[in-house]
Amino acid sequence: MKQMNVLVVGAGPTGLTAAVELARRGVNVDVIDKREAASGWSRAVGIQPLSLELLRPSGVAGALLEEGIRFQFAKFYREKELLATMPFALPDKELSFILGLAQDRTEIHLRDALERYGRVHYGVELEEVSQDEEQVFVTLENSPQGLATSFDFLIGADGVRSRVREQVGISYPGFDLQGRWSIADVNADYWVHPDALTICQLADGNLAFVVPLESNRFRVIASTADALAALPLRMNVTSIRRAGDFSISIRVAESFQKGRVFLAGDAAHCHSPVGGRGMNLGIADAVELARRLVDGNADGYSDCRHKIGKAIVGKSEQARKILTATNPLIRLGTYGVMKLVDRSPFLQRRVAMQALYD
Ligand SMILES: Cc1cc2nc3c(=O)[nH]c(=O)nc-3n(C[C@H](O)[C@H](O)[C@H](O)COP(=O)(O)OP(=O)(O)OC[C@H]3O[C@@H](n4cnc5c(N)ncnc54)[C@H](O)[C@@H]3O)c2cc1C
């Protein structure tokens, strides 16, 4: 019997996970990425235990766990006032923390796993896609010698501006948030919570987050310009390693499949960083799709993951709206709820379950 061959477009966390999962099951898989080399710019930093469980069979979870920081708490502030300490402890779960690791490091561990079976072709851009009942045909820019131009299946893991999605004509309904968010990676010799995720609700309805990356290295994200200036608590920054801004769209593709072409990760859904779910969702899409392709029931993938993607994007957006509300009544309500969570182990377990395993 002919071995199945699959082209994965995009070597971000989603594409790499799909490739590892297919390759370790014996599928002939090629990954292309239009970048000249792997990206050193990390966006995601929070890995859910659910993702770690999905990445366990490939051995990637072990490598991530060895390197990452285990966050056992989230701290929730309104300006300078600490409203709640949220432990992630779940007594019946082996992994009850969020793992902090820069996305480029997560991608390195996925690439290492993939290198046991094959390699990513960098500098290769997908231009066109067409398909018939049996094959998917691609036009590639800068294709290396020996790389096929027809495949049994194609996975579009090519991010928010997916060319694959556009080529097969799947729409991406939703909207773009106004304004730009900012991000800074810094070295600092003082920060109040070097072992917890910190979320600060600001007086003007904006948000700032701090995620420790290593000892004395922190990621600051804000829903406004200049993440460091937005931070209401003292951080002694000794150097800024990198700073930038980004825009946010809230979108879910109308379908995650067209014939033999599938979408996964940001190509299929995107939302704000509130909840830190984007990369985790992409990893779960990839694992599900790889399993279904191998088992021969890939046609159920779109329905299954579309439902989940839509629900998570909806929840993240709901949380973003509540946390950035300027309406005094909503702000009062959030304040009260946070104070309640701070005192109630029952509510803390419910929130932890959502944050870690939803
Ligand atoms: C500031 C910030 C913080 C975040 N924090 C978190 C977090 O803590 N936890 C979390 O889970 N998520 C987080 N996210 C979201 C997360 O970064 C994304 O969801 C994740 O990177 C999506 O991965 P992906 O592989 O689907 O797409 P991408 O990472 O965008 O990768 C797509 C790849 O496809 C390649 N490509 C595109 N077009 C082509 C083409 N035509 N041909 C070949 N290659 C192509 C690109 O070069 C790229 O390498 C955050 C996002 C931001 C902006």
Side-chain angles (χ1 to χ4, degrees), residues 28-57:
N28 194 353
V29 56
D30 284 290
V31 187
I32 59 163
D33 199 295
K34 66 182 180 182
R35 289 180 200 279
E36 287 307 318
S39 163
W41 183 217
S42 155
R43 290 178 288 163
V45 281
I47 306 170
Q48 284 182 300
L50 185 64
S51 301
L52 292 169
E53 282 178 7
L54 293 173
L55 295 173
R56 219 196 271 268

Side-chain angles (χ1 to χ4, degrees), residues 110 150 171 182 185 190 234 262 279 297 321 330-331:
L110 285 164
S150 66
S171 68
S182 54
D185 268 5
Y190 172 79
R234 183 165 72 88
F262 298 86
M279 181 178 74
N297 63 352
K321 281 186 184 152
I330 298 178
R331 284 176 72 83

